[in-house]
Amino acid sequence: MASAGAPAYAHSDSGFTRARRDFRTWRRTRPFWAGLLVLLAAAPIIYFPYFNLSLGGLSVAMSTMAGAGSLVIGLTLIVLAGLLWFQPIIRFFAGCVAVFLGVLSLPISNFGGFFVGTLFAATGGLLALAWGPVDVRPVEMPDATEGASAAAGPEERAGE
């Protein structure tokens, strides 16, 4: 039998459970999924301009003149993802820049990492623009006497 204040199972709140709960709480206070998509968008944008494929004696090089531009776009997207996670107040700026860089990567970085980077950057940027902080203030409930008085019409209150 457990007391009213103690949990039913003493080992139910393990370190992993506590860490998962803390991470969930942290994740819900910021545009986490937007930051993750913007971070994932940087990978194909940076990788494909420097991609080299060897097939036996044949070497296929995807290296382009836009390698430096792709690197700048990809690194900027990584910084924006970090800002979305750790400074959610600038989500509007970061979202607009992520969408802009995703579209800009189309002509610069092999069709934006073969459209994958552009798609992730645009989706993450739009999620950042759509995200809003949750108001965590508790709603105050009126007392039963005040609620009944407020719910009554002016004719009913005139007789009080």
Side-chain angles (χ1 to χ4, degrees):
M1 175 174 275
S3 65
Y9 300 103
H11 300 290
S12 65
D13 196 20
S14 67
F16 176 73
T17 304
R18 187 177 311 113
R20 190 174 51 104
R21 189 179 320 120
D22 291 343
F23 177 69
R24 183 185 313 146
T25 303
W26 176 82
R27 187 186 70 210
R28 290 181 177 172
T29 60
R30 57 203 72 244
F32 176 78
W33 296 109
L36 184 65
L37 285 176
V38 171
L39 184 65
L40 290 176
I45 290 174
I46 290 175
Y47 178 71
F48 285 129
Y50 299 106
F51 179 64
N52 291 325
L53 176 66
S54 296
L55 298 172
L58 181 64
S59 178
V60 178
M62 296 279 299
S63 299
T64 63
M65 295 298 293
S70 299
L71 187 63
V72 168
I73 290 173
L75 291 177
T76 307
L77 286 172
I78 291 171
V79 169
L80 288 174
L83 288 174
L84 283 171
W85 282 346
F86 299 110
Q87 295 292 328
I89 194 74
I90 63 164
R91 68 187 184 279
F92 188 79
F93 169 74
C96 289
V97 173
V99 171
F100 175 73
L101 288 176
V103 172
L104 184 65
S105 71
L106 281 171
I108 291 179
S109 175
N110 294 336
F111 298 112
F114 298 116
F115 298 109
V116 174
T118 299
L119 182 67
F120 281 172
T123 305
L126 292 174
L127 280 174
L129 290 173
W131 182 84
V134 176
D135 189 15
V136 294
R137 287 181 286 157
V139 178
E140 294 183 20
M141 298 299 293
D143 291 340
T145 57
E146 293 175 10
S149 174
E155 301 85 28
E156 295 173 4
R157 277 186 277 168
E160 290 181 4

